[in-house]
Amino acid sequence: MLNQLRPALVLTLAFTAITGFAYPLAITGVAQVLMPAEANGSLVRKNGVVIGSGLIGQNFASQRYFWPRPSATVPGPYNAGSSSGSNLGTTSIRLKHRVTAEIERLRAAGVSGVVPADAGTASASGLDPHISPAFARAQVARIARARGLREADVAALVRRNAQGRLMGIIGEPRVNVLELNLALDASGN
C-alpha cells in the first residue's frame, strides 16, 4: 500500500505546486507586463485617487449625472460582491412591475420619447458599466437643465464617448457611464 500512496502524494503535491502556484504566478506576471491596467482591474483614477473601474458600473443618482441601467444586485445596486441577474423571465409580473416603475421614475425626471430597453432592465450580471447611446441621448435634456448647459454640448459629449462594435461586428454600440460622467465634470459646470 505504501508503494501506491507515495507516488499519489508526490503527484498531488507536484500538480498543486504547478497548477496552484507556478501557473497562476506566471500568468499574473505576463499580464502585469503585457497589460497592467487590465490586470489590475481597469481602475479609473481622478487626481491620483481610484474612483471606480471601467468594468463595473456605479450607481449615479444625481440629476447632474448620466444614470446607469438598473442593477439587480443585492443588497444595493452595483454591489460587485453580489453579481447576479434577476432571473425573472419575460412573463414575470415582478419584472413587468420593476420595468414599469423604472420607466415612471425616468418620466418623472424628465426623460421623454421612446425609453430604450436598457433604461428599464438590468444586465445579466447586474454590474454592466455601459448604457446604449440611445439611453444616454434620452438623458441629455435632463442633464443640460440640471447643469445649465446647452443640450447640444451635452449631446456632443455623448457622441465623443460612444464606443462602436468591436471590429465593427461584435457587440452593440455603448457608452461607459463613469467615463461619460467624468467627461461631463471635465467640461465645466
Side-chain angles (χ1 to χ4, degrees), residues 53-184:
S53 168
L55 303 174
I56 298 177
Q58 294 184 17
N59 191 34
F60 290 93
S62 168
Q63 290 287 337
R64 296 175 49 83
Y65 290 103
F66 285 91
W67 294 337
R69 64 189 301 173
S71 173
T73 63
V74 290
Y78 292 97
N79 178 357
S82 176
S83 173
S84 66
S86 67
N87 293 331
L88 300 175
T90 55
T91 59
S92 169
I93 297 298
R94 281 182 51 207
L95 178 62
K96 180 181 177 185
H97 290 310
R98 183 186 299 163
V99 170
T100 301
E102 190 62 29
I103 291 171
E104 287 172 2
R105 180 181 79 90
L106 292 169
R107 294 278 188 230
V111 173
S112 60
V114 175
V115 176
D118 63 321
T121 58
S123 68
S125 69
L127 301 174
D128 191 353
H130 300 98
I131 58 175
S132 67
F135 185 26
R137 286 189 300 271
Q139 299 182 67
V140 164
R142 173 183 62 80
I143 292 164
R145 266 192 319 275
R147 288 187 174 246
L149 297 171
R150 293 180 333 127
E151 285 186 32
D153 294 337
V154 179
L157 274 176
V158 170
R159 282 191 302 277
R160 281 196 301 271
N161 284 276
Q163 302 167 355
R165 292 183 162 107
L166 182 64
M167 295 187 286
I169 57 171
I170 299 173
E172 291 296 319
R174 64 210 175 279
V175 180
N176 186 296
V177 177
L178 176 58
E179 292 173 6
L180 181 57
N181 285 332
L182 286 173
L184 189 61

